[in-house]
């Protein structure tokens, strides 16, 4: 009798962004000779096991009947929830992948991906920002978890999902791996400007990136952050289009402080990008909503130099 198992996968968030754990689970089971496929309620039939993964807590859970002996649910979407506007981490619902799956080369074919590698070189972040779950879930220290070769086999593009690679003690070795790859790199979680040094900026300047983004979330970081922004520009010489900065609003800053951060960044040659905390509870005519429309529409922001002169009715 064959021990080949029927394994079903459900990407609860949909298929807009490839789910890395599911790609690893698929690779693991395929290597064992199991039959792996997306679970489809009407067509899949009975499965031995179904894995469900959810990254975003706001995605509703899968609601259909699943014909299987066993269901394994995992991902941030199940262990992180929003309570009073803050992300809360429930350790009892966190199911880390076992090492033999965590460190396997992902099955990119699951999503039909051929030219991009996705993964993490580090996990964790020492910052512990109130609006972020990374420190609670992954630890308050950025630690190396993989070499690039673990999830990259020569693809043209690399999508790096690290929360704070510059905080890792192995940052230099890891940035060098990215430089040596000569691949086009997208650091999708951004870089921590507060940790920038001359050496780091020089190495980042050697990466093949279309753009990098930073964040200026806390107004009180002003004194430490501004020299870092200046230093990064001087070393890389990159223009505004290549360097954007997320500006968190509606969290613990005043509107004046939001405007100050935006104008300061523009003066320094960065492209600010307004993020609204808890946007769901912000009305359409709230000043931060207008500010977001003004700043994030690059054409408007470059043409109208002061927010007071922006008339949303005129566009
Ligand atoms: S620095 Fe970024 S990754 Fe780290 S806790 Fe703050 S928001 Fe999260």
């Amino acid at each position: 009798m064959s021990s080949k198992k029927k394994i079903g996968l459900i990407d609860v968030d949909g298929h807009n962004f490839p789910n890395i754990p599911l790609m690893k689970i698929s690779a693991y089971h395929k290597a064992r000779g199991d039959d792996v496929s997306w679970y489809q309620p009407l067509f899949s039939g009975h499965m031995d096991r179904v894995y469900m993964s959810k990254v975003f807590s706001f995605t509703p859970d899968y609601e259909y009947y699943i014909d299987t002996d066993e269901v394994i649910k995992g991902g941030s979407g199940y262990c992180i929830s929003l309570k009073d506007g803050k992300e809360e981490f429930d350790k009892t619902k966190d199911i880390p992948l076992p090492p033999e799956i965590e460190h396997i080369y992902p099955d990119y074919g699951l999503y039909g991906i051929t030219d991009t590698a996705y993964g993490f070189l580090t996990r964790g972040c020492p910052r512990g920002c109130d609006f972020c779950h990374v420190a609670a879930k992954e630890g308050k220290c950025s630690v190396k978890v993989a070499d690039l070769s673990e999830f990259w086999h020569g693809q043209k593009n690399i999508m790096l999902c690290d929360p704070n690679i510059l905080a890792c003690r192995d940052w230099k070795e890891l940035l060098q791996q990215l430089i040596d790859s000569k691949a086009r790199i997208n650091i999708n979680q951004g870089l921590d400007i507060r940790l920038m040094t001359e050496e780091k900026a020089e190495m980042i300047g050697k990466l093949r990136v279309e753009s990098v983004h930073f964040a200026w979330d806390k107004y009180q970081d002003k004194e430490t952050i501004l020299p870092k922004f200046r230093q990064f520009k001087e070393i890389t010489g990159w223009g505004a289009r290549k360097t954007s900065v997320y500006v968190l609003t509606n969290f613990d800053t005043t509107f004046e402080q939001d405007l100050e951060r935006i104008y300061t960044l523009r003066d320094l040659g960065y492209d600010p990008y307004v993020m609204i905390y808890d946007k769901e509870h912000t009305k359409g005519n709230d000043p931060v909503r207008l500010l977001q429309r003004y700043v994030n529409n690059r054409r408007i922001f470059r043409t109208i130099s002061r927010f007071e002169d922006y008339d949303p009715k005129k566009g």
Side-chain angles (χ1 to χ4, degrees):
M1 210 174 90
S2 160
S3 61
K4 186 170 158 174
K5 286 190 172 143
K6 270 187 86 182
I7 304 294
L9 305 175
I10 301 176
D11 180 343
V12 182
D13 300 296
H15 293 242
N16 296 332
F17 190 87
N19 182 299
I20 297 172
L22 287 182
M23 292 195 290
K24 291 182 178 179
I25 289 166
S26 171
Y28 172 78
H29 279 286
K30 282 182 180 170
R32 290 167 53 103
D34 294 334
D35 182 5
V36 182
S37 60
W38 292 116
Y39 181 72
Q40 298 184 63
L42 296 179
F43 307 106
S44 294
H46 182 77
M47 311 300 277
D48 294 299
R49 183 185 293 168
V50 169
Y51 291 92
M52 296 169 64
S53 182
K54 187 159 95 88
V55 175
F56 304 107
S57 23
F58 54 77
T59 307
D61 204 1
Y62 188 78
E63 56 183 12
Y64 304 104
Y65 171 71
I66 304 171
D67 183 4
T68 181
D69 290 341
E70 188 186 7
V71 173
I72 299 181
K73 285 184 176 191
S76 309
Y78 288 118
C79 58
I80 308 284
S81 56
L82 261 185
K83 208 169 180 189
D84 300 329
K86 281 193 175 179
E87 290 194 341
E88 286 202 344
F89 170 60
D90 182 348
K91 199 166 174 34
T92 60
K93 292 185 183 156
D94 184 32
I95 311 173
L97 292 176
E100 63 275 21
I101 302 183
E102 179 65 53
H103 295 289
I104 205 166
Y105 181 74
D107 173 16
Y108 294 112
L110 187 64
Y111 288 89
I113 296 166
T114 53
D115 58 359
T116 306
Y118 292 76
F120 295 82
L121 294 170
T122 63
R123 293 282 196 161
C125 176
R127 297 280 178 204
C129 302
D130 284 343
F131 45 83
C132 174
H133 66 262
V134 170
K137 182 169 184 282
E138 301 179 7
K140 273 197 105 171
C141 184
S142 172
V143 211
K144 176 182 169 186
V145 292
D147 283 309
L148 184 59
S149 55
E150 191 171 298
F151 60 89
W152 174 75
H153 285 180
Q155 289 92 331
K156 277 196 300 190
N157 309 299
I158 295 170
M159 181 70 78
L160 197 67
C161 307
D162 295 37
N164 197 340
I165 190 170
L166 296 186
C168 176
R169 59 190 285 192
D170 300 306
W171 65 268
K172 197 170 180 177
E173 178 207 337
L174 296 173
L175 287 185
Q176 193 59 53
Q177 290 184 15
L178 292 167
I179 293 168
D180 293 344
S181 76
K182 297 189 175 60
R184 198 183 307 252
I185 318 281
N186 183 333
I187 305 168
N188 71 0
Q189 299 299 302
L191 293 166
D192 190 338
I193 189 72
R194 295 161 290 188
L195 300 171
M196 196 55 68
T197 61
E198 198 179 322
E199 206 181 1
K200 284 174 180 164
E202 274 164 7
M203 287 190 80
I204 292 166
K206 290 181 190 158
L207 289 175
R208 273 193 72 207
V209 285
E210 228 153 74
S211 62
V212 286
H213 66 262
F214 303 101
W216 183 1
D217 296 324
K218 298 176 186 154
Y219 177 79
Q220 58 272 28
D221 283 341
K222 187 178 162 185
E223 299 309 321
T224 47
I225 220 171
L226 292 188
K228 302 281 184 185
F229 276 129
R230 280 194 202 99
Q231 180 191 45
F232 186 77
K233 279 280 154 178
E234 279 162 20
I235 292 173
T236 60
W238 289 351
R241 285 187 171 85
K242 203 168 173 172
T243 51
S244 60
V245 181
Y246 290 156
V247 177
L248 183 71
T249 63
N250 205 29
F251 184 65
D252 64 356
T253 50
T254 63
F255 195 74
E256 287 66 35
Q257 289 171 338
D258 296 341
L259 272 181
E260 186 185 329
R261 283 181 294 161
I262 286 159
Y263 294 149
T264 306
L265 287 167
R266 182 170 60 188
D267 293 346
L268 289 172
Y270 288 83
D271 254 349
Y273 189 90
V274 170
M275 307 287 284
I276 300 180
Y277 182 75
D278 197 13
K279 191 170 181 179
E280 220 181 300
H281 297 106
T282 319
K283 291 201 180 89
N285 58 355
D286 192 292
V288 285
R289 287 280 197 114
L290 295 183
L291 186 66
Q292 187 179 50
R293 284 194 340 237
Y294 163 66
V295 175
N296 295 0
N297 184 322
R298 297 293 177 225
R299 195 177 54 80
I300 293 175
F301 187 60
R302 292 204 175 99
T303 325
I304 304 169
S305 58
R306 294 177 342 140
F307 174 67
E308 304 86 275
D309 300 330
Y310 167 57
D311 180 352
K313 290 191 194 93
K314 286 188 191 156

